[in-house]
Amino acid sequence: MKKLFGAAAIALFIAGCTAASPIDTAHAASPLLLAVDGQPALTPLHPFHSGGILYVPVRVLLEYYPCQLIWDNVRKQLTLSDISSNTVLTPGSSAIQITYTQTDGSNEEMQEGPVIVKDGHNYIPADTLYDLTGAESKLETTGNTVSIVPGSVSTTVRVPKEPLAVAANNSKIKLYTALKNGDTYKGFILEVNGRKQTFNWSAPRIYNSPPELHYADVDNDGKPEAIVILTRGTGTGIVAQEVHVVKPELWKELTLPAADKAAATAVTSSLAIHQKDVLIRLEVKGAEPSKLTLRLPGRATDNGLDYFGKQAGIGAVTYYQVEGGKLKAETSVMVGMQESIGTLMLEYKAGGKGMELGSIKFEPDAAIKPNMEPKQG
């Protein structure tokens, strides 16, 4: 069945008169359990099998999805309502009419099976949770628990049991989200050797760029820190990350300058036209060599530097990493319309009040041949 929702929720209108399948009785003596984000569901209702199909209570949506359930006793219909759409469930039917708040609806067919009423409660096929909300559901290998992992437009009412990240070199260092609210992680919980502490960081839920967790002595004081790297956003020519360094024995977060800001204070640049070429001059404090001239052959135009600008831009693409016990960063140097000319490589060190920039160097893109001037002074 094709996915029915977009960035916001989608809704279903279920109509028809197909009779519901009889409920299998084989599981009556040992009811299935229901878990959301690795923890027991709040609803006391149990999943079950009917006609070979795994069913879950509709009410479980309230535990991770931002909607309201409204029962129409006259029509005998249950409406799932959110900010963008309505879903009307009619027991015994598999027909679906999608109704959006601001656009026209459409008709679909719920392939998994019809809505079932059991003991006065509505149940839907477990696979339909994905179509409605993006949630993944599966029967665990133990055979007695149906596990639901909410999707990107979900929220949760509890701290998820499963960590978002575990440090590669120490399985006792874990990172959890305090709350998943739609497409945002709101708050994080850091666990170090069984101790936990909450931090009010927030970050988008980007599935191909999940939070990273490292454990290393990046300030060289003999005690390892927990380093959390969060991706703030991605796009064409843009990657934004932020880093948090925490001393777990004190639950103290060390201050440090963001890579783009640290680089901007250490690098000066200017652009000029030389005949048909564009010249880019960079001066990097403390680097060897400290001065470079980059040439873009044949790129000068009648408009001069209107396209390229008068200075290079720093920080459109920024990555952090922990390597060899050091906290490092890479941040881009660009001209014009996000045209890369190279990367600034940063390494942090311990400072007076936290972490500070230790070293920085510029690496030009392979296609650009720089003229490097010797360090002055």
Side-chain angles (χ1 to χ4, degrees), residues 282-332:
L282 295 177
E283 183 171 357
V284 185
K285 296 179 182 177
E288 180 65 50
S290 62
K291 294 182 180 181
L292 307 92
T293 300
L294 310 179
R295 183 181 295 270
L296 303 180
R299 298 296 303 279
T301 67
D302 293 338
N303 295 326
L305 295 176
D306 287 347
Y307 171 80
F308 290 97
K310 296 181 179 180
Q311 294 179 324
I314 295 174
V317 177
T318 299
Y319 291 100
Y320 293 91
Q321 60 267 345
V322 176
E323 185 178 272
K326 302 290 185 180
L327 176 60
K328 301 180 179 181
E330 300 178 7
T331 192
S332 62

Side-chain angles (χ1 to χ4, degrees), residues 13-14 71-79 88-91:
F13 178 86
I14 309 217
W71 175 251
D72 186 332
N73 198 43
V74 176
R75 294 182 174 88
K76 305 300 179 184
Q77 293 176 333
L78 179 66
T79 298
V88 181
L89 305 180
T90 301

Side-chain angles (χ1 to χ4, degrees), residues 190-208:
L190 189 60
E191 179 179 347
V192 178
N193 298 322
R195 298 171 57 240
K196 294 182 178 181
Q197 181 67 25
T198 301
F199 295 87
N200 62 355
W201 315 318
S202 64
R205 295 173 64 190
I206 305 174
Y207 281 84
N208 59 356

Side-chain angles (χ1 to χ4, degrees), residues 24 63 102 115 146 162 165 212 282 295:
D24 295 347
E63 300 190 28
Q102 297 180 344
V115 178
V146 178
E162 295 298 319
E212 297 178 33
L282 295 177
R295 183 181 295 270

Side-chain angles (χ1 to χ4, degrees), residues 233-241 260 313-319 330-334 338:
T234 61
T236 303
I238 297 175
V239 177
Q241 289 189 331
D260 57 334
I314 295 174
V317 177
T318 299
Y319 291 100
E330 300 178 7
T331 192
S332 62
V333 182
M334 297 186 176
Q338 302 296 312

